[in-house]
């Protein structure tokens, strides 16, 4: 399943609830929420209280990307706030697999993100315990950057390894994605596209999301990927 997950970082924070509704109506299936602590990355954004507040405005899947040091300290806070997917960075803690197992034990989808300099092989041993891998196509921390196309080779490597080992997993890409380069990402093996400025800064979000969907039509790995239980309906929020 091909999914567009607009990044709320590019939205108007003064009307965040309305911005979420706008892109949901335009065809987005997820909302990507970037949490930054000013330590793991050189920027700060928002935390669990903000997510809990906007959770009241929509039932869309909350795709929470934790760009924070030692994320295990705050997993329960983000679960309580209403996260449906929690992504931690491989580079952010000593034992990422234990954090992944904890997230999944709480009936929440769990994902690992890797920075541009991190080799794809680090995720291979844990793929069977992941719901998604996020390959960063820019250095994390700031929106509006141009995609590093060389990072798509890591997407290709992870998808190839997953296929060869019979592992059904979503691969997400984040950083500089637009309708013009979405095809490159999906051909490499990605099926979840994070797009911030391209969606929220567009005159009509639906036009951009539709363009991205059309660009994914040559996706070479089949349409069965990502067809999992909608955890937004499974988890009891609160």
């Amino acid at each position: 399943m091909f999914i567009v997950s607009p990044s709320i970082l590019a939205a108007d924070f003064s009307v965040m609830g309305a911005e979420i509704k706008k892109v949901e109506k335009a065809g987005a299936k997820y909302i990507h929420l970037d949490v930054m602590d000013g330590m793991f990355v050189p920027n700060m954004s928002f935390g669990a209280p903000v997510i809990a507040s906007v959770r009241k405005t929509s039932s869309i899947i909350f795709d929470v990307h934790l760009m924070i040091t030692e994320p295990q300290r705050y997993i329960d806070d983000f679960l309580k706030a209403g996260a449906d997917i929690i992504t931690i960075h491989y580079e952010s803690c000593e034992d990422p697999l234990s954090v992944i197992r904890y997230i999944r034990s709480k009936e929440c989808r769990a994902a690992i993100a890797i920075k541009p300099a991190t080799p794809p092989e680090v995720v291979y041993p844990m793929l069977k315990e992941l719901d998604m891998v996020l390959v960063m196509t820019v250095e994390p921390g700031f929106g509006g950057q141009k995609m590093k196309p060389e990072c798509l080779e890591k997407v290709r490597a992870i998808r190839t390894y997953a296929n060869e080992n019979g592992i059904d997993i979503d691969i997400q890409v984040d950083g500089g994605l637009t309708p013009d380069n979405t095809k490159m990402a999906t051909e490499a093996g990605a099926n979840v596209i994070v797009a911030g400025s391209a969606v929220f800064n567009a005159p009509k979000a639906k036009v951009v999301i539709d363009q991205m969907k059309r660009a994914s039509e040559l996706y070479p790995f089949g349409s069965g990927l990502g067809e999992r239980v909608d955890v937004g309906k499974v988890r009891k929020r609160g």
Side-chain angles (χ1 to χ4, degrees):
M1 178 186 294
F2 177 79
I3 293 166
V4 176
S5 183
S7 172
I8 202 72
L9 274 185
D12 181 347
F13 278 23
S14 69
V15 286
M16 194 180 291
E19 292 276 73
I20 291 172
K21 288 183 179 296
K22 177 182 75 174
V23 295
E24 184 176 7
K25 186 177 180 180
K29 300 299 182 186
Y30 296 173
I31 282 289
H32 192 81
L33 297 118
D34 287 304
V35 178
M36 298 182 283
D37 64 359
M39 297 174 63
F40 182 69
V41 293
N43 198 3
M44 297 180 70
S45 59
F46 48 79
V50 170
I51 292 175
S53 179
V54 295
R55 175 78 280 178
K56 301 172 186 176
T57 69
S58 174
S59 61
I60 195 170
I61 296 293
F62 271 19
D63 171 21
V64 178
H65 178 192
L66 300 184
M67 290 180 274
I68 63 178
T69 301
E70 301 299 337
Q72 63 271 24
R73 297 174 296 163
Y74 302 107
I75 297 301
D76 286 341
D77 293 334
F78 289 103
L79 290 168
K80 186 176 180 180
D84 296 302
I85 305 168
I86 295 181
T87 300
I88 66 166
H89 268 265
Y90 175 84
E91 309 89 352
S92 69
C93 53
E94 290 187 4
D95 189 2
L97 185 55
S98 69
V99 184
I100 290 297
R101 287 171 174 165
Y102 182 76
I103 294 169
R104 295 196 74 184
S105 76
K106 298 297 182 177
E107 297 185 335
C108 183
R109 289 180 65 182
I112 279 283
I114 55 174
K115 293 181 177 182
T118 302
E121 292 82 6
V122 301
V123 305
Y124 294 172
M126 61 182 79
L127 277 187
K128 290 184 178 180
E129 299 192 57
L130 293 169
D131 294 290
M132 184 169 71
V133 175
L134 166 54
V135 175
M136 294 298 302
T137 47
V138 298
E139 288 297 332
F142 295 92
Q145 300 180 63
K146 290 186 178 181
M147 185 186 74
K148 296 176 181 289
E150 62 271 21
C151 293
L152 297 180
E153 289 307 310
K154 292 195 289 184
V155 174
R156 195 179 309 278
I158 294 168
R159 179 61 75 196
T160 299
Y161 181 91
N163 285 353
E164 289 175 348
N165 290 275
I167 301 170
D168 179 13
I169 193 165
D170 290 327
I171 300 181
Q172 183 178 70
V173 287
D174 179 5
L177 274 297
T178 69
D180 292 334
N181 58 29
T182 294
K183 181 180 176 182
M184 293 171 58
T186 57
E187 285 182 338
N191 66 303
V192 184
I193 303 294
V194 176
S197 303
V199 173
F200 281 107
N201 293 348
K204 293 185 178 180
K206 187 177 188 311
V207 171
V208 174
I209 291 173
D210 285 347
Q211 288 173 338
M212 288 183 164
K213 288 178 179 178
R214 285 195 295 272
S216 76
E217 290 176 357
L218 294 178
Y219 181 65
F221 297 98
S223 60
L225 297 165
E227 295 287 353
R228 299 182 179 87
V229 174
D230 184 343
V231 295
K233 297 178 181 178
V234 173
R235 289 190 59 229
K236 294 182 180 179
R237 300 191 181 99

